[in-house]
Amino acid sequence: MAEPARRVTVTHPRTRAARPGRPHAAVRDVHEQTPLGEVYVRALMRTQLRLALLVCGAVCLPLACLPLLLLGHVGVPSGVRLWGVGLPWLVLGLPVYVLLVTAGLCYMRRAERHERDFVEHVHRS
């Protein structure tokens, strides 16, 4: 039987990963893909999936309601112009991009926090 490939990490000497420290058994478990490492990684993936579905729902619900707003059910007059642009285009454009950028930033911050928590949990184990 062939041996599994060994992982090698190449880092710059000034990074935290390259600094000498005590080896952590749990980190080796994750890297070697032992059953414990698989459990940790699956838990992280479930957490990230939950976050992605939550952000997707938070973005899709307002976007799905926007056509109703533009159809006139809420009363956005199509003849009104601001700064030379029709009001429906402003209602469609500005909030949508603000929503998407805000959701993207929130997702990134939470996903990075989950990954930091994962690393801290693995180091404590």
Side-chain angles (χ1 to χ4, degrees), residues 2-107:
E3 274 189 49
R6 184 178 172 138
R7 288 186 163 191
V8 177
T9 304
V10 179
T11 60
H12 191 274
R14 292 185 186 174
T15 63
R16 182 172 36 184
R19 293 185 189 133
R22 73 178 185 90
H24 298 283
V27 173
R28 280 196 302 270
D29 287 340
V30 171
H31 286 282
E32 294 172 2
Q33 295 186 6
T34 61
L36 178 62
E38 289 179 22
V39 169
Y40 284 155
V41 171
R42 275 197 210 119
L44 175 64
M45 289 174 63
R46 275 194 310 271
T47 304
Q48 298 290 41
L49 178 62
R50 268 193 308 270
L51 175 63
L53 293 174
L54 177 71
V55 171
C56 185
V59 168
C60 289
L61 183 65
L63 289 181
C65 294
L66 228 112
L68 296 176
L69 181 72
L70 294 177
L71 284 175
H73 293 290
V74 177
V76 178
S78 60
V80 176
R81 298 180 85 65
L82 296 172
W83 304 294
V85 180
L87 187 59
W89 284 105
L90 288 176
V91 169
L92 178 64
L94 293 177
V96 169
Y97 285 108
V98 169
L99 175 69
L100 292 175
V101 168
T102 303
L105 289 174
C106 289
Y107 176 79

